Amino acid sequence: MDKTLYWLFAPVLIAGALLLILPASSRWRGVLLLSGIAGILAVLCWRLTDIWSSAYEVNGSIFANAARLIDRFGWSATHGRLYFGGGSEFDPAWPAYNHHPPGIAWLVTLLYNAGGQGEAFARAVPIAFSVVGFAVVLWRLSLTRTSAFIGAFIVAAAACPALAYYGRMLNFEPVCLALGLVTFATVDFRTQDRRWTAFLVLVQCILPWMGWSGIPLALAGSWMIVRRIGGVRLTYCLMILPVASAAVLVWYLAGYTGGFSEMMGATKAWTYMGERPAHETTGFWLLFVKYRLGRTIPFMLLALLPLLLLRRIRHQLEPWLAR
């Protein structure tokens, strides 16, 4: 890791440490919170214009190139679809990237239109959503938690070097996570505001188009909105909106290659590519579980270990964090 990153993380660690030791009534609390957010922004903007070179940026290069094609040839020619290709003329026979929702590439295209093409504009999308998600968490914690608790959260975030990589990775994770956090953090406080409720409903409809993980987030968010509104059975119709949005998304993606079966065929080919040994005879869904979920679940379980540890020692920490 570049040593510059350590210096960029230092202000975030200092802000969190000061929140840990300063009295809860300190007038510097707001300044330190803003300093923590600014420090995270500085970390995410590290080497902003680097080319897509590392393994974790493969999807970023795909989305950025697809957005470049949409920006170059226009929405009428590409229909907003994501393609692998290049050159001076658009070719509809280019291979389609149709097994991920196109929302990320569309956001990058809008920035390309506004400011020009480049890695910095592409990375601005995940960076903006990561900062929003981090700020929303700090705001939510500031309403119910002490300064020491918030400081511990900031220190924990700064102690995770992967934040500098995955927080600005041009993929669905930063965008879906930020939109989910906005929903979960504000639904308790703003349900009496019809305009904000309408905005949250719109967010649930947008989530599936940002990534497949946006579908369960949208269903959970819609359920929370319905529960908070309460009293009117018709509000359960809100649950239909993200489902309908996801259905339109599948229909749109299936149109790339002419049908749902062709879309699944392309998805299978992508899943097998470079990962299926020559002697492998496992079916697609078993292979999906083996190579995709089999890599994800162990890391998710590993991430739960610190939470389980904190749960075990929370009684010892509560007197200190509640000061």
Side-chain angles (χ1 to χ4, degrees), residues 194-226:
R194 292 184 178 181
R195 288 176 296 182
W196 188 258
T197 300
F199 168 74
L200 291 182
V201 171
L202 178 62
V203 167
Q204 311 320 304
C205 295
I206 292 174
L207 266 168
W209 291 80
M210 297 295 112
W212 295 119
S213 60
I215 295 177
L217 283 174
L219 291 174
S222 298
W223 176 251
M224 291 182 68
I225 294 171
V226 168

mmCIF file of all heavy atoms in Angstrom, residues 194-226:
data_model
loop_
_atom_site.group_PDB
_atom_site.id
_atom_site.type_symbol
_atom_site.label_atom_id
_atom_site.label_comp_id
_atom_site.label_asym_id
_atom_site.label_seq_id
_atom_site.Cartn_x
_atom_site.Cartn_y
_atom_site.Cartn_z
ATOM 1 N N ARG A 194 -44.656 14.131 3.436
ATOM 2 C CA ARG A 194 -45.082 13.372 2.252
ATOM 3 C C ARG A 194 -44.064 13.461 1.126
ATOM 4 O O ARG A 194 -43.867 12.499 0.377
ATOM 5 C CB ARG A 194 -46.443 13.875 1.782
ATOM 6 C CG ARG A 194 -47.579 13.567 2.759
ATOM 7 C CD ARG A 194 -48.908 13.994 2.186
ATOM 8 N NE ARG A 194 -50.004 13.650 3.090
ATOM 9 C CZ ARG A 194 -51.286 13.903 2.826
ATOM 10 N NH1 ARG A 194 -51.621 14.517 1.686
ATOM 11 N NH2 ARG A 194 -52.216 13.555 3.688
ATOM 12 N N ARG A 195 -43.441 14.624 0.994
ATOM 13 C CA ARG A 195 -42.463 14.766 -0.083
ATOM 14 C C ARG A 195 -41.255 13.868 0.152
ATOM 15 O O ARG A 195 -40.727 13.269 -0.789
ATOM 16 C CB ARG A 195 -42.030 16.229 -0.199
ATOM 17 C CG ARG A 195 -43.105 17.149 -0.773
ATOM 18 C CD ARG A 195 -42.659 18.581 -0.777
ATOM 19 N NE ARG A 195 -42.443 19.082 0.588
ATOM 20 C CZ ARG A 195 -42.075 20.331 0.876
ATOM 21 N NH1 ARG A 195 -41.875 21.194 -0.099
ATOM 22 N NH2 ARG A 195 -41.919 20.701 2.125
ATOM 23 N N TRP A 196 -40.795 13.778 1.413
ATOM 24 C CA TRP A 196 -39.665 12.897 1.698
ATOM 25 C C TRP A 196 -40.058 11.436 1.538
ATOM 26 O O TRP A 196 -39.271 10.624 1.042
ATOM 27 C CB TRP A 196 -39.141 13.146 3.111
ATOM 28 C CG TRP A 196 -37.866 12.407 3.364
ATOM 29 C CD1 TRP A 196 -37.706 11.258 4.068
ATOM 30 C CD2 TRP A 196 -36.568 12.761 2.879
ATOM 31 N NE1 TRP A 196 -36.381 10.863 4.065
ATOM 32 C CE2 TRP A 196 -35.653 11.761 3.341
ATOM 33 C CE3 TRP A 196 -36.076 13.813 2.102
ATOM 34 C CZ2 TRP A 196 -34.300 11.808 3.047
ATOM 35 C CZ3 TRP A 196 -34.722 13.844 1.809
ATOM 36 C CH2 TRP A 196 -33.859 12.855 2.276
ATOM 37 N N THR A 197 -41.279 11.098 1.948
ATOM 38 C CA THR A 197 -41.747 9.724 1.762
ATOM 39 C C THR A 197 -41.795 9.368 0.280
ATOM 40 O O THR A 197 -41.398 8.274 -0.120
ATOM 41 C CB THR A 197 -43.143 9.543 2.392
ATOM 42 O OG1 THR A 197 -43.069 9.837 3.788
ATOM 43 C CG2 THR A 197 -43.641 8.120 2.211
ATOM 44 N N ALA A 198 -42.271 10.307 -0.542
ATOM 45 C CA ALA A 198 -42.302 10.078 -1.989
ATOM 46 C C ALA A 198 -40.886 9.896 -2.533
ATOM 47 O O ALA A 198 -40.652 9.054 -3.412
ATOM 48 C CB ALA A 198 -42.995 11.238 -2.694
ATOM 49 N N PHE A 199 -39.946 10.668 -1.989
ATOM 50 C CA PHE A 199 -38.549 10.526 -2.413
ATOM 51 C C PHE A 199 -38.020 9.139 -2.053
ATOM 52 O O PHE A 199 -37.342 8.495 -2.866
ATOM 53 C CB PHE A 199 -37.689 11.607 -1.757
ATOM 54 C CG PHE A 199 -36.213 11.378 -1.897
ATOM 55 C CD1 PHE A 199 -35.582 11.589 -3.115
ATOM 56 C CD2 PHE A 199 -35.454 10.945 -0.816
ATOM 57 C CE1 PHE A 199 -34.209 11.376 -3.248
ATOM 58 C CE2 PHE A 199 -34.098 10.721 -0.937
ATOM 59 C CZ PHE A 199 -33.476 10.946 -2.158
ATOM 60 N N LEU A 200 -38.316 8.652 -0.843
ATOM 61 C CA LEU A 200 -37.847 7.331 -0.433
ATOM 62 C C LEU A 200 -38.472 6.237 -1.297
ATOM 63 O O LEU A 200 -37.811 5.245 -1.625
ATOM 64 C CB LEU A 200 -38.168 7.088 1.036
ATOM 65 C CG LEU A 200 -37.386 7.926 2.051
ATOM 66 C CD1 LEU A 200 -37.788 7.538 3.470
ATOM 67 C CD2 LEU A 200 -35.888 7.775 1.865
ATOM 68 N N VAL A 201 -39.738 6.403 -1.661
ATOM 69 C CA VAL A 201 -40.379 5.432 -2.556
ATOM 70 C C VAL A 201 -39.666 5.419 -3.904
ATOM 71 O O VAL A 201 -39.423 4.350 -4.497
ATOM 72 C CB VAL A 201 -41.873 5.765 -2.725
ATOM 73 C CG1 VAL A 201 -42.500 4.888 -3.818
ATOM 74 C CG2 VAL A 201 -42.618 5.567 -1.408
ATOM 75 N N LEU A 202 -39.305 6.602 -4.397
ATOM 76 C CA LEU A 202 -38.563 6.681 -5.662
ATOM 77 C C LEU A 202 -37.210 5.986 -5.545
ATOM 78 O O LEU A 202 -36.772 5.291 -6.472
ATOM 79 C CB LEU A 202 -38.373 8.149 -6.054
ATOM 80 C CG LEU A 202 -37.565 8.416 -7.330
ATOM 81 C CD1 LEU A 202 -38.256 7.808 -8.545
ATOM 82 C CD2 LEU A 202 -37.356 9.918 -7.528
ATOM 83 N N VAL A 203 -36.546 6.149 -4.399
ATOM 84 C CA VAL A 203 -35.257 5.491 -4.174
ATOM 85 C C VAL A 203 -35.406 3.977 -4.274
ATOM 86 O O VAL A 203 -34.557 3.295 -4.856
ATOM 87 C CB VAL A 203 -34.683 5.894 -2.801
ATOM 88 C CG1 VAL A 203 -33.525 4.982 -2.413
ATOM 89 C CG2 VAL A 203 -34.220 7.343 -2.829
ATOM 90 N N GLN A 204 -36.496 3.439 -3.715
ATOM 91 C CA GLN A 204 -36.708 1.982 -3.775
ATOM 92 C C GLN A 204 -36.906 1.503 -5.210
ATOM 93 O O GLN A 204 -36.519 0.384 -5.553
ATOM 94 C CB GLN A 204 -37.917 1.570 -2.916
ATOM 95 C CG GLN A 204 -37.954 2.121 -1.513
ATOM 96 C CD GLN A 204 -36.612 2.142 -0.822
ATOM 97 O OE1 GLN A 204 -35.941 1.127 -0.690
ATOM 98 N NE2 GLN A 204 -36.204 3.327 -0.361
ATOM 99 N N CYS A 205 -37.497 2.346 -6.044
ATOM 100 C CA CYS A 205 -37.685 1.975 -7.453
ATOM 101 C C CYS A 205 -36.380 2.059 -8.240
ATOM 102 O O CYS A 205 -36.196 1.341 -9.230
ATOM 103 C CB CYS A 205 -38.741 2.875 -8.089
ATOM 104 S SG CYS A 205 -40.399 2.681 -7.402
ATOM 105 N N ILE A 206 -35.479 2.943 -7.801
ATOM 106 C CA ILE A 206 -34.201 3.113 -8.489
ATOM 107 C C ILE A 206 -33.211 2.015 -8.102
ATOM 108 O O ILE A 206 -32.393 1.586 -8.927
ATOM 109 C CB ILE A 206 -33.612 4.508 -8.171
ATOM 110 C CG1 ILE A 206 -34.474 5.594 -8.817
ATOM 111 C CG2 ILE A 206 -32.168 4.619 -8.629
ATOM 112 C CD1 ILE A 206 -34.052 7.000 -8.435
ATOM 113 N N LEU A 207 -33.280 1.551 -6.862
ATOM 114 C CA LEU A 207 -32.284 0.608 -6.344
ATOM 115 C C LEU A 207 -32.047 -0.612 -7.245
ATOM 116 O O LEU A 207 -30.885 -0.983 -7.485
ATOM 117 C CB LEU A 207 -32.680 0.165 -4.937
ATOM 118 C CG LEU A 207 -32.069 0.958 -3.783
ATOM 119 C CD1 LEU A 207 -32.749 0.616 -2.462
ATOM 120 C CD2 LEU A 207 -30.576 0.681 -3.691
ATOM 121 N N PRO A 208 -33.091 -1.291 -7.759
ATOM 122 C CA PRO A 208 -32.814 -2.469 -8.599
ATOM 123 C C PRO A 208 -31.975 -2.147 -9.826
ATOM 124 O O PRO A 208 -31.218 -3.013 -10.305
ATOM 125 C CB PRO A 208 -34.220 -2.953 -8.995
ATOM 126 C CG PRO A 208 -35.106 -2.460 -7.901
ATOM 127 C CD PRO A 208 -34.547 -1.134 -7.513
ATOM 128 N N TRP A 209 -32.069 -0.920 -10.348
ATOM 129 C CA TRP A 209 -31.331 -0.551 -11.552
ATOM 130 C C TRP A 209 -29.865 -0.256 -11.270
ATOM 131 O O TRP A 209 -29.061 -0.147 -12.185
ATOM 132 C CB TRP A 209 -31.993 0.657 -12.221
ATOM 133 C CG TRP A 209 -33.325 0.318 -12.802
ATOM 134 C CD1 TRP A 209 -34.502 0.218 -12.134
ATOM 135 C CD2 TRP A 209 -33.605 -0.003 -14.163
ATOM 136 N NE1 TRP A 209 -35.511 -0.142 -12.989
ATOM 137 C CE2 TRP A 209 -34.990 -0.279 -14.245
ATOM 138 C CE3 TRP A 209 -32.834 -0.070 -15.321
ATOM 139 C CZ2 TRP A 209 -35.600 -0.624 -15.444
ATOM 140 C CZ3 TRP A 209 -33.447 -0.410 -16.517
ATOM 141 C CH2 TRP A 209 -34.817 -0.692 -16.568
ATOM 142 N N MET A 210 -29.512 -0.137 -9.980
ATOM 143 C CA MET A 210 -28.116 0.102 -9.603
ATOM 144 C C MET A 210 -27.341 -1.202 -9.431
ATOM 145 O O MET A 210 -26.126 -1.232 -9.589
ATOM 146 C CB MET A 210 -28.051 0.907 -8.304
ATOM 147 C CG MET A 210 -28.654 2.292 -8.392
ATOM 148 S SD MET A 210 -27.748 3.378 -9.531
ATOM 149 C CE MET A 210 -28.962 3.565 -10.842
ATOM 150 N N GLY A 211 -28.018 -2.274 -9.067
ATOM 151 C CA GLY A 211 -27.357 -3.558 -8.864
ATOM 152 C C GLY A 211 -28.359 -4.578 -8.365
ATOM 153 O O GLY A 211 -29.399 -4.231 -7.801
ATOM 154 N N TRP A 212 -28.034 -5.861 -8.553
ATOM 155 C CA TRP A 212 -28.972 -6.904 -8.127
ATOM 156 C C TRP A 212 -29.193 -6.881 -6.626
ATOM 157 O O TRP A 212 -30.281 -7.204 -6.147
ATOM 158 C CB TRP A 212 -28.448 -8.274 -8.554
ATOM 159 C CG TRP A 212 -28.384 -8.485 -10.034
ATOM 160 C CD1 TRP A 212 -27.274 -8.752 -10.779
ATOM 161 C CD2 TRP A 212 -29.471 -8.425 -10.974
ATOM 162 N NE1 TRP A 212 -27.591 -8.870 -12.112
ATOM 163 C CE2 TRP A 212 -28.947 -8.677 -12.259
ATOM 164 C CE3 TRP A 212 -30.835 -8.173 -10.851
ATOM 165 C CZ2 TRP A 212 -29.724 -8.682 -13.406
ATOM 166 C CZ3 TRP A 212 -31.628 -8.189 -11.997
ATOM 167 C CH2 TRP A 212 -31.074 -8.443 -13.250
ATOM 168 N N SER A 213 -28.173 -6.501 -5.865
ATOM 169 C CA SER A 213 -28.365 -6.414 -4.417
ATOM 170 C C SER A 213 -29.336 -5.311 -4.040
ATOM 171 O O SER A 213 -29.813 -5.258 -2.903
ATOM 172 C CB SER A 213 -27.018 -6.174 -3.723
ATOM 173 O OG SER A 213 -26.437 -4.961 -4.173
ATOM 174 N N GLY A 214 -29.630 -4.410 -4.966
ATOM 175 C CA GLY A 214 -30.608 -3.361 -4.694
ATOM 176 C C GLY A 214 -32.026 -3.886 -4.570
ATOM 177 O O GLY A 214 -32.877 -3.215 -3.959
ATOM 178 N N ILE A 215 -32.300 -5.080 -5.117
ATOM 179 C CA ILE A 215 -33.665 -5.614 -5.051
ATOM 180 C C ILE A 215 -34.060 -5.962 -3.616
ATOM 181 O O ILE A 215 -35.093 -5.503 -3.127
ATOM 182 C CB ILE A 215 -33.813 -6.825 -5.997
ATOM 183 C CG1 ILE A 215 -33.628 -6.366 -7.448
ATOM 184 C CG2 ILE A 215 -35.179 -7.491 -5.806
ATOM 185 C CD1 ILE A 215 -33.688 -7.483 -8.459
ATOM 186 N N PRO A 216 -33.268 -6.781 -2.872
ATOM 187 C CA PRO A 216 -33.653 -7.028 -1.472
ATOM 188 C C PRO A 216 -33.628 -5.759 -0.620
ATOM 189 O O PRO A 216 -34.444 -5.609 0.290
ATOM 190 C CB PRO A 216 -32.621 -8.053 -0.990
ATOM 191 C CG PRO A 216 -31.500 -7.976 -1.952
ATOM 192 C CD PRO A 216 -32.095 -7.587 -3.253
ATOM 193 N N LEU A 217 -32.697 -4.837 -0.911
ATOM 194 C CA LEU A 217 -32.684 -3.575 -0.176
ATOM 195 C C LEU A 217 -33.958 -2.778 -0.438
ATOM 196 O O LEU A 217 -34.521 -2.172 0.482
ATOM 197 C CB LEU A 217 -31.461 -2.743 -0.585
ATOM 198 C CG LEU A 217 -30.116 -3.153 0.010
ATOM 199 C CD1 LEU A 217 -28.995 -2.327 -0.611
ATOM 200 C CD2 LEU A 217 -30.120 -2.983 1.521
ATOM 201 N N ALA A 218 -34.421 -2.775 -1.687
ATOM 202 C CA ALA A 218 -35.641 -2.045 -2.029
ATOM 203 C C ALA A 218 -36.864 -2.668 -1.362
ATOM 204 O O ALA A 218 -37.757 -1.956 -0.886
ATOM 205 C CB ALA A 218 -35.828 -2.012 -3.545
ATOM 206 N N LEU A 219 -36.918 -3.998 -1.311
ATOM 207 C CA LEU A 219 -38.043 -4.664 -0.650
ATOM 208 C C LEU A 219 -38.037 -4.362 0.854
ATOM 209 O O LEU A 219 -39.090 -4.072 1.442
ATOM 210 C CB LEU A 219 -37.966 -6.169 -0.888
ATOM 211 C CG LEU A 219 -38.223 -6.629 -2.325
ATOM 212 C CD1 LEU A 219 -37.967 -8.123 -2.458
ATOM 213 C CD2 LEU A 219 -39.657 -6.298 -2.752
ATOM 214 N N ALA A 220 -36.853 -4.402 1.469
ATOM 215 C CA ALA A 220 -36.763 -4.091 2.900
ATOM 216 C C ALA A 220 -37.122 -2.633 3.162
ATOM 217 O O ALA A 220 -37.842 -2.322 4.124
ATOM 218 C CB ALA A 220 -35.353 -4.393 3.407
ATOM 219 N N GLY A 221 -36.630 -1.738 2.306
ATOM 220 C CA GLY A 221 -36.957 -0.323 2.479
ATOM 221 C C GLY A 221 -38.430 -0.044 2.298
ATOM 222 O O GLY A 221 -39.026 0.738 3.059
ATOM 223 N N SER A 222 -39.049 -0.672 1.304
ATOM 224 C CA SER A 222 -40.491 -0.473 1.084
ATOM 225 C C SER A 222 -41.294 -0.987 2.271
ATOM 226 O O SER A 222 -42.279 -0.361 2.693
ATOM 227 C CB SER A 222 -40.924 -1.199 -0.198
ATOM 228 O OG SER A 222 -40.254 -0.681 -1.321
ATOM 229 N N TRP A 223 -40.892 -2.117 2.824
ATOM 230 C CA TRP A 223 -41.575 -2.671 3.992
ATOM 231 C C TRP A 223 -41.475 -1.717 5.185
ATOM 232 O O TRP A 223 -42.458 -1.498 5.901
ATOM 233 C CB TRP A 223 -40.996 -4.021 4.343
ATOM 234 C CG TRP A 223 -41.576 -4.631 5.594
ATOM 235 C CD1 TRP A 223 -40.962 -4.794 6.795
ATOM 236 C CD2 TRP A 223 -42.895 -5.155 5.745
ATOM 237 N NE1 TRP A 223 -41.803 -5.380 7.696
ATOM 238 C CE2 TRP A 223 -43.005 -5.617 7.078
ATOM 239 C CE3 TRP A 223 -43.992 -5.281 4.902
ATOM 240 C CZ2 TRP A 223 -44.165 -6.195 7.568
ATOM 241 C CZ3 TRP A 223 -45.143 -5.864 5.402
ATOM 242 C CH2 TRP A 223 -45.225 -6.311 6.706
ATOM 243 N N MET A 224 -40.291 -1.119 5.381
ATOM 244 C CA MET A 224 -40.131 -0.162 6.478
ATOM 245 C C MET A 224 -40.996 1.072 6.267
ATOM 246 O O MET A 224 -41.604 1.596 7.207
ATOM 247 C CB MET A 224 -38.659 0.246 6.600
ATOM 248 C CG MET A 224 -37.751 -0.863 7.085
ATOM 249 S SD MET A 224 -36.038 -0.320 7.265
ATOM 250 C CE MET A 224 -36.217 0.825 8.640
ATOM 251 N N ILE A 225 -41.080 1.559 5.025
ATOM 252 C CA ILE A 225 -41.927 2.725 4.745
ATOM 253 C C ILE A 225 -43.383 2.407 5.030
ATOM 254 O O ILE A 225 -44.111 3.189 5.656
ATOM 255 C CB ILE A 225 -41.746 3.163 3.275
ATOM 256 C CG1 ILE A 225 -40.327 3.665 3.043
ATOM 257 C CG2 ILE A 225 -42.751 4.252 2.911
ATOM 258 C CD1 ILE A 225 -39.990 3.910 1.591
ATOM 259 N N VAL A 226 -43.830 1.229 4.595
ATOM 260 C CA VAL A 226 -45.217 0.820 4.826
ATOM 261 C C VAL A 226 -45.503 0.712 6.318
ATOM 262 O O VAL A 226 -46.539 1.181 6.812
ATOM 263 C CB VAL A 226 -45.491 -0.523 4.117
ATOM 264 C CG1 VAL A 226 -46.816 -1.111 4.587
ATOM 265 C CG2 VAL A 226 -45.523 -0.321 2.604
#
